[in-house]
């Protein structure tokens, strides 16, 4: 289905996507968006599972690609960490040999492993470097894709919402809604919209250890 989708793009649209490094992110967006029936569902965990099944959206993907014009291609989300509280030292805050909590930071994915004793950890994230190759104005959208929304707080730090503080309370192992699978992952999605399309998602994730059971007073 991905090969057929690539073949469905208009020539000038595909050239613009390739020239700006947007071809694969756009394919990702199309694949995820056509799995669901609305933008509202796209901004939920339904469109972004941990693993994808063999969904029957091949024709829809081709139709989306064929209908995309070069001057209306999707924007690109870009993330950066400004600050976070995933800190600690062995024997004081962390009771393991490894103190690694900041697993990695990339422009589209930020990953943390929860090891310190905090009941809540915070990540200050900026999406201000997100862009649209046609210069369109962007709106910023953040959503809890995995985890308990009652224990995840996303607080905008500016008027546009391009910078947010994500506060996550400790999450024990839970069952993924609609399945029997267990997860220790909290995932927040970052999206930008240019008036025509949402971007492919960026992800901010926090993983708690499956070998621990914690009780906070």
């Amino acid at each position: 289905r991905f090969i057929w989708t690539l073949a469905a793009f208009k020539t000038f649209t595909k050239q613009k996507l390739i020239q700006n490094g947007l071809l694969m992110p756009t394919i990702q967006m199309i694949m995820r968006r056509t799995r669901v029936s609305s933008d509202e569902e796209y901004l939920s965990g339904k469109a972004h599972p941990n693993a994808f099944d063999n969904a029957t959206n091949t024709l829809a993907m081709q139709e989306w690609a064929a209908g995309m014009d070069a001057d209306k291609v999707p924007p690109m989300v870009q993330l950066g960490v400004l600050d976070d509280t995933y800190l600690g030292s062995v024997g004081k805050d962390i009771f393991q040999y490894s103190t690694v909590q900041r697993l990695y930071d990339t422009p589209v994915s930020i990953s943390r492993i929860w090891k310190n004793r905090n009941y809540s950890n915070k990540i200050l994230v900026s999406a201000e470097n997100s862009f649209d190759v046609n210069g369109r104005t962007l709106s910023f959208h953040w959503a809890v894709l995995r985890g308990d929304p009652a224990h995840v707080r996303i607080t905008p730090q500016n008027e546009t919402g391009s910078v947010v503080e994500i506060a996550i309370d400790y999450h024990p192992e839970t069952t993924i809604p609609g399945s029997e699978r267990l997860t220790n992952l909290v995932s927040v999605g970052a999206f930008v919209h240019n008036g025509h399309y949402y971007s492919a998602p960026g992800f901010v994730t926090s993983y708690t250890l499956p070998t621990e059971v914690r009780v906070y007073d």
Side-chain angles (χ1 to χ4, degrees):
R1 59 183 169 174
F2 295 102
I3 298 299
W4 293 340
T5 302
L6 286 168
F9 282 109
K10 298 170 185 174
T11 300
F12 291 123
T13 301
K14 186 186 291 185
Q15 289 176 345
K16 188 156 195 173
L17 292 172
I18 292 172
Q19 290 167 0
N20 291 279
L22 294 174
L23 185 59
M24 289 302 104
T26 298
I27 290 288
Q28 275 286 323
M29 182 280 288
I30 292 173
M31 186 270 290
R32 294 168 184 268
R33 176 60 182 82
T34 55
R35 288 175 54 86
V36 295
S37 59
S38 67
D39 285 344
E40 182 179 5
E41 288 186 327
Y42 182 67
L43 300 180
S44 75
K46 186 174 182 179
H48 314 285
N50 288 1
F52 290 95
D53 55 19
N54 190 23
T56 57
N57 60 336
T58 302
L59 179 59
M61 289 177 65
Q62 295 174 65
E63 290 173 342
W64 270 62
M68 189 173 289
D69 296 324
D71 63 344
K72 298 176 183 177
V73 298
M76 182 69 190
V77 69
Q78 298 281 269
L79 302 177
V81 176
L82 303 180
D83 196 12
D84 72 57
T85 62
Y86 286 79
L87 301 166
S89 57
V90 171
K92 181 179 179 182
D93 305 292
I94 298 172
F95 303 116
Q96 295 191 9
Y97 291 113
S98 172
T99 60
V100 175
Q101 296 187 93
R102 295 170 175 171
L103 188 59
Y104 60 77
D105 293 354
T106 79
V108 293
S109 184
I110 296 163
S111 181
R112 296 292 184 265
I113 303 175
W114 195 307
K115 294 182 179 179
N116 61 27
R117 295 190 299 162
N118 297 349
Y119 174 69
S120 298
N121 273 314
K122 299 178 180 180
I123 311 177
L124 187 64
V125 182
S126 172
E128 291 179 305
N129 288 332
S130 302
F131 63 89
D132 180 85
V133 294
N134 291 302
R136 297 181 182 277
T137 300
L138 298 178
S139 57
F140 298 83
H141 308 266
W142 307 79
V144 179
L145 305 179
R146 179 78 73 244
D148 184 351
H151 290 281
V152 181
R153 296 169 297 282
I154 303 172
T155 306
Q157 303 295 295
N158 58 9
E159 186 174 341
T160 62
S162 62
V163 178
V164 298
E165 179 190 79
I166 302 172
I168 304 170
D169 298 335
Y170 180 80
H171 273 60
E173 190 173 60
T174 57
T175 301
I176 298 175
S179 77
E180 297 180 356
R181 295 182 179 182
L182 295 173
T183 183
N184 290 73
L185 187 69
V186 174
S187 180
V188 173
F191 307 83
V192 288
H193 194 276
N194 65 1
H196 293 282
Y197 296 105
Y198 280 100
S199 66
F203 297 101
V204 181
T205 65
S206 178
Y207 181 78
T208 52
L209 300 176
T211 54
E212 291 185 348
V213 176
R214 296 188 181 191
V215 177
Y216 289 87
D217 63 20

